[in-house]
Amino acid sequence: MSLSEPRAPKRRHTSTSQPSIAIIGAGLAGLRCADVLVQNGISVTIIEARDRIGGRVHQGELPGGRAVDLGPNWIHGTDDNPILDIAKQTNTAAGSLNSNVWVHDHLGGLMSQEDGEKYSAMVWDLVQQAFEHSNTHGAETHADKSLLDFVHERISDMIPESDAECAKKRGVLVRLVEMWGTFVGSPVSRQSLKYFWLEECLEGENLFCAGTYKKILHHIADPAVTGADLMLNSKVTKVTRQYQSSNKVKIELDSGRHLLFDEVVVTAPLGWLKRHPDAFNPRLPARLTEAISAIGYGCLEKVYITFPTAFWLVSMRMRGFIEWITPTYAPSNPHQWHQDAFELGSLPEPHNHPTLLFYTFGEQSKYMTSTLAKLTTQSQRTAFLVDFFQPYYSLLPNYSADSPDCKPLALLATEWLNDEFAGNGSYCNFQVGLEKGDEDIEVMRHGLPDQGIWFAGEHTAPFVALGTATGAYWSGEMVAKRIVDTYARLKQS
């Protein structure tokens, strides 16, 4: 897809051809934006509320000093992907992994690998059909129609009534489709079919970043933090455009300090924009406010559970993805939320470690993060997580409750839903009821350039990279190039 930009705006009158630019947020979008601007000799100040750079690109630590990503784990697509290029440049391990899928049914029984692979293939077939339908018939698809609705319509073609176990097989397939929620951070019953095409990523494989995003982040950040002024621990409370009838934009900080700039690039997460409409003075125009409100914001969370050894690999070699569909046997999960894990024991050396990475979304994420927020000690948090996840990892081969190899050494859970600076969530998505999803993205992407306000982030990315680290990177680059082009035209006039 072309990365062509909106036409350069008719610029408001300004007295300078070398502007001062503020970038709110030091995530991938803000850092890449700063890099491009600095390369073009423009003065840049990066204002970051946290005490660190990176935003959701951040690592936690497991026993033995093992770093794991708390934000993105994957590089989505290998076709002309700059994040993959940077991974190669920084010698960051990232690759396609064992795609085996091991499925436990609602009673906890392990399906044969053949059946697990068969059902998984059918899920991906349905997803691909949904992409094709959305691309071809999205315009006439009702806004309230969900991906789950589409699955119910198409399932009869995949499992006909003539099949002796039709009801059972259809039930398994419908339950397993719920795994798609881990890709978008919300249930398939809420996924818009009309705008499902916006969930498509770059062509090529999805690569797991076994070496973490740490070196990728540093590579992107180094030129930005070297060439720009970086203000950490600086929370923006108000952005006033055309301050005192001037061409300036005023930024107010929680410290009481205020700063004036010619342009401000807002890379705050979509969730933050949703929660802070009063941060803009005057308030954002109705169409822009509508766009921010219309696009969904996910709640994808992760839980790492690490053990002394990868006991599940000893005999059956249970590699890849592990699913526990609508479990009816776990008292800690009365809502029977689907469980989805990726085992890290079979990563290539030296990046393999005896850890299960669980992905959660939707109401389960809300329940878990709200519960963790109430627990005041690490022992309480650990006990809660063990109680919740033990019914699942206890079903893995070679598990024994008495074996020290099967007792977790540590559990590490993300809490983006409790994080104001992450927008209390993670990644944009497209939910039922959405009427003008592509236009909404374009409206946010365009911003208010005539008033010195620009937006960047994974929610303003090219359509093939929405909701990804690549998209965040591209969005910052795109805005920077637009600003550079604008001032180049002014200089020539």
Side-chain angles (χ1 to χ4, degrees):
M1 175 174 177
S2 170
L3 302 187
S4 59
E5 305 304 333
R7 187 165 37 185
K10 182 179 180 182
R11 191 65 186 155
R12 67 197 191 287
H13 176 73
T14 180
S15 60
T16 178
S17 60
Q18 289 300 324
S20 60
I21 311 288
I23 298 174
I24 300 175
L28 292 188
L31 294 169
R32 179 55 180 160
C33 183
D35 181 9
V36 174
L37 292 173
V38 168
Q39 287 180 41
N40 285 273
I42 294 176
S43 174
V44 177
T45 300
I46 305 172
I47 303 173
E48 170 57 53
R50 301 182 191 275
D51 61 359
R52 60 170 179 81
I53 63 170
R56 286 195 300 269
V57 180
H58 188 50
Q59 290 76 42
E61 191 172 290
L62 294 175
R66 171 78 64 177
V68 291
D69 280 316
L70 302 182
N73 291 118
W74 299 84
I75 297 174
H76 294 287
T78 52
D79 185 2
D80 192 25
N81 190 330
I83 298 298
L84 177 57
D85 294 339
I86 295 170
K88 293 176 180 177
Q89 293 173 42
T90 58
N91 198 30
T92 295
S96 57
L97 301 175
N98 193 306
S99 60
N100 289 345
V101 178
W102 302 83
V103 180
H104 296 81
D105 65 25
H106 66 292
L107 298 176
L110 180 64
M111 296 183 188
S112 69
Q113 187 176 1
E114 180 182 1
D115 283 346
E117 297 287 351
K118 179 182 67 176
Y119 281 113
S120 177
M122 284 194 285
V123 169
W124 284 107
D125 188 7
L126 284 167
V127 167
Q128 187 57 44
Q129 290 181 42
F131 278 138
E132 293 170 0
H133 175 90
S134 184
N135 273 297
T136 305
H137 304 291
E140 59 265 30
T141 299
H142 196 283
D144 289 336
K145 193 168 184 178
S146 71
L147 175 60
L148 185 60
D149 293 330
F150 180 83
V151 168
H152 281 299
E153 288 179 1
R154 293 296 179 94
I155 199 169
S156 59
D157 295 332
M158 305 187 79
I159 306 174
E161 292 282 352
S162 58
D163 191 308
E165 296 186 302
C166 169
K168 177 183 176 182
K169 291 180 178 179
R170 288 182 181 180
V172 170
L173 183 56
V174 169
R175 293 186 186 106
L176 196 55
V177 165
E178 188 64 27
M179 67 174 281
W180 184 257
T182 63
F183 288 84
V184 296
S186 65
V188 292
S189 60
R190 299 293 304 161
Q191 169 70 59
S192 166
L193 179 63
K194 182 180 183 71
Y195 285 104
F196 192 48
W197 64 272
L198 289 175
E199 298 287 1
E200 286 191 279
C201 290
L202 287 169
E203 292 293 327
E205 296 180 274
N206 291 322
L207 308 181
F208 189 82
C209 194
T212 80
Y213 265 77
K214 186 174 183 178
K215 290 190 288 186
I216 295 173
L217 171 63
H218 288 168
H219 179 92
I220 296 169
D222 283 347
V225 300
T226 300
D229 292 328
L230 176 62
M231 299 173 57
L232 298 176
N233 297 302
S234 300
K235 179 181 177 181
V236 173
T237 58
K238 186 75 70 175
V239 177
T240 301
R241 56 193 190 274
Q242 297 180 327
Y243 177 61
Q244 294 183 346
S245 300
S246 72
N247 292 328
K248 300 290 185 179
V249 181
K250 182 175 79 167
I251 289 180
E252 298 176 49
L253 305 178
D254 60 348
S255 63
R257 185 180 178 186
H258 73 267
L259 305 165
L260 297 179
F261 297 93
D262 294 302
E263 316 285 339
V264 172
V265 181
V266 181
T267 73
L270 175 62
W272 190 93
L273 296 176
K274 287 175 173 288
R275 289 171 174 264
H276 295 88
D278 295 335
F280 296 91
N281 179 36
R283 291 174 72 99
L284 298 176
R287 182 63 186 96
L288 182 51
T289 299
E290 176 188 330
I292 291 170
S293 176
I295 302 301
Y297 198 55
C299 47
L300 180 65
E301 301 283 356
K302 301 169 186 177
V303 179
Y304 290 90
I305 308 178
T306 192
F307 298 86
T309 65
F311 61 86
W312 54 90
L313 295 179
V314 173
S315 59
M316 286 186 65
R317 314 295 291 176
M318 185 179 275
R319 300 170 180 265
F321 294 91
I322 309 170
E323 310 282 341
W324 296 264
I325 56 176
T326 52
T328 60
Y329 46 85
S332 57
N333 182 8
H335 296 281
Q336 300 177 16
W337 290 312
H338 178 106
Q339 301 302 312
D340 179 282
F342 181 60
E343 63 83 23
L344 307 182
S346 58
L347 291 177
E349 294 185 356
H351 304 288
N352 58 322
H353 50 107
T355 301
L356 298 173
L357 167 54
F358 283 83
Y359 292 95
T360 72
F361 61 91
E363 293 303 315
Q364 179 178 342
S365 287
K366 295 175 184 178
Y367 164 71
M368 300 198 70
T369 53
S370 63
T371 302
L372 288 169
K374 299 172 187 175
L375 302 177
T376 57
T377 68
Q378 186 57 48
S379 61
Q380 290 175 325
R381 293 163 64 87
T382 297
F384 165 69
L385 293 171
V386 168
D387 180 64
F388 190 91
F389 288 102
Q390 192 271 346
Y392 313 113
Y393 63 75
S394 66
L395 295 177
L396 299 183
N398 308 306
Y399 176 84
S400 170
D402 298 325
S403 171
D405 287 342
C406 302
K407 297 184 186 301
L409 289 177
L411 297 94
L412 178 61
T414 64
E415 296 179 67
W416 298 118
L417 277 167
N418 295 334
D419 189 331
E420 175 191 3
F421 304 137
N424 301 96
S426 48
Y427 310 112
C428 68
N429 59 35
F430 311 97
Q431 304 208 342
V432 291
L434 188 62
E435 296 278 4
K436 296 175 284 189
D438 50 348
E439 293 180 23
D440 293 328
I441 295 296
E442 290 172 343
V443 166
M444 290 191 291
R445 187 187 296 155
H446 184 69
L448 301 172
D450 286 340
Q451 300 177 47
I453 304 293
W454 312 72
F455 293 92
E458 49 86 16
H459 51 288
T460 69
F463 292 145
V464 292
L466 289 165
T468 67
T470 301
Y473 178 93
W474 264 337
S475 72
E477 179 177 275
M478 290 160 61
V479 164
K481 289 180 177 179
R482 289 170 62 197
I483 293 173
V484 169
D485 289 347
T486 295
Y487 278 88
R489 288 184 175 89
L490 283 171
K491 195 172 183 178
Q492 293 170 1
S493 63

